[in-house]
Amino acid sequence: MNGLPVLPAVELLSMLRRGQISPLELADEYIQQIERLNPQLNALVDFDPERVRAQARALKNSGTPLFGLPMTIKASIATAGYRCETGSLLHRGHIPHENAVAVDRLQRAGAVILGTTNCPEFLMAYETDNRLYGRTSNPWDLDRTAGGSSGGESAAVAAGLSAAGLGSDSGGSVREPAHFTGICSLKPTPGRIPGRGHLSGSDGPFAILGATGPMARTVRDVTLLFITLSGQDALDPVSPPVPLRNESLEDLKRVPIGFFEDDGLIPVTPETRQAVRDAVHTLEQQGFRVSPFRPHALEEVRQVWWKFFVRCGAMLLEPLVQGRQSQLSPTFLDFLSIAHREPPLTAPELLSGWMECDHVRRKLLAEMEDFPILLCPVCAIPAFRHGERTWEVEGKQVEYLDAMRYTQWFNLLGAPAAVVPVGRSPEGLPIGVQIAGRPFEDERVLGIAAAVEASFGYQPPPLSVG
């Protein structure tokens, strides 16, 4: 069974259905991998092997789509009976009594919950570190971060501590970690996978920005999870009654794809440029229509994202942390210091920002009429060392949040975006590319992501099979 924990989820499910392995035997494989590697990675924060075994023994219906699949859940998504503390001492010991809708659907589909995974405090960082559990390390290099805010989830999936999992994304939080650790992920159109039960509120502007998304080792795995979890939640105001769609490979090849290597403002590493070029090349070889194209509205979109995520986000959280600064983690204090460089939003600014949001979304959607799919970097850099906040890229100093801007546009647009591993940095770190589409065209994004993956895709980090 050596190497079994890093197999694609779809292969594991096939083995389970054919009786080649039992849910309990598979659970034990993952328990051993967690016990071996989690002390180094610090990915799971609530893990009880006997609870896992009890779930596996209790499974009866082998016809469910995720029968016996061991999965993990980001600790900001309500999972009944598990610690879900959003990485904060202020929420120490919080154990929900009810599942988030997406978690409930996973369990009804037959998944075995291994535990919850680490995240930065209140999810406001691209690095997973907090005062409650400490930092999560990257399985490709323990001196580097696995990303954030779904960094615990990405480290677990990449290193074979979990077959797949659920993260959440308001500014790149399932995509950046996937890029940093060499796995696949999807930030879906908000509501297509219901967000009800996410513990760091997905209301107001965050109903547009945020989405619960699957993370796994292959696009096929991510697609299976999307199909299993999607469907309207009648109690979620942004969850649409959109049926699953199916486009053939020939249909997808007729969709114009625009690509760009950088946004014209923030440079990317040479290897990141090469990853985009390599993805373009493989699509062209398969008969896809790919052309250079960079939307003009990107920076306007990013400025509105900043207004809501950074400035409005800080205003929403400050009443909760008032007078408790001594308990806050450095990563969250860093976020507050960035937010406080600008004054709090006034009522007129917030109102104008809300109006501007729809205006710039319309502008970007108009540009995407010619290119409904965009292929671009995930980030300006590969995984960075713990605590780093600036980098020199192509002779220019790149600041922390600027390096991460390549995901943020699609949060404001409320659009689906997937990540596929393609390249490597000089240090051997994974580099992904991002495939983004128009709202509600998630299946199209996944189909084209699968075409990119056909020439590249997940490779297990040496740590995971050693």
Side-chain angles (χ1 to χ4, degrees), residues 150-339:
S150 306
E153 200 59 46
S154 69
V157 173
L161 279 63
S162 173
L166 278 186
S168 58
D169 188 318
S170 292
S173 290
V174 301
R175 290 164 290 153
E176 226 82 38
H179 159 68
F180 283 172
T181 59
I183 64 170
C184 301
S185 67
L186 172 72
K187 183 205 86 68
T189 303
R192 288 211 63 186
I193 294 176
R196 186 160 56 95
H198 192 271
L199 298 173
S200 185
S202 294
D203 301 318
F206 284 86
I208 297 171
L209 300 184
T212 296
M215 306 176 73
R217 289 186 279 273
T218 71
V219 175
R220 283 186 68 197
D221 296 345
V222 170
T223 301
L224 172 65
L225 292 173
F226 175 76
I227 291 168
T228 303
L229 296 173
S230 64
Q232 185 182 25
D233 171 14
L235 300 185
D236 183 349
V238 300
S239 183
V242 176
L244 288 167
R245 301 170 184 178
N246 184 36
E247 288 184 278
S248 70
L249 184 58
E250 292 309 309
D251 289 336
L252 293 174
K253 287 179 180 179
R254 286 190 284 270
V255 178
I257 301 170
F259 77 92
F260 55 97
E261 297 174 14
D262 64 55
D263 70 345
L265 294 173
I266 299 300
V268 303
T269 66
E271 299 75 27
T272 301
R273 293 186 187 281
Q274 190 60 49
V276 172
R277 291 171 190 157
D278 290 344
V280 168
H281 181 64
T282 194
L283 288 173
E284 288 176 333
Q285 284 189 315
Q286 294 175 61
F288 285 84
R289 299 167 55 193
V290 192
S291 305
F293 172 71
R294 185 167 65 202
H296 297 291
L298 294 177
E299 183 57 16
E300 289 180 80
V301 171
R302 203 263 181 161
Q303 291 299 324
V304 181
W305 174 88
W306 181 282
K307 187 173 291 186
F308 286 133
F309 185 89
V310 178
R311 297 177 68 191
C312 190
M315 291 172 69
L316 288 168
L317 288 166
E318 277 173 334
L320 177 65
V321 304
Q322 195 67 39
R324 307 169 81 177
Q325 280 81 354
S326 63
Q327 296 175 266
L328 301 177
S329 63
T331 53
F332 184 66
L333 290 171
D334 183 44
F335 165 75
L336 289 180
S337 72
I338 292 170

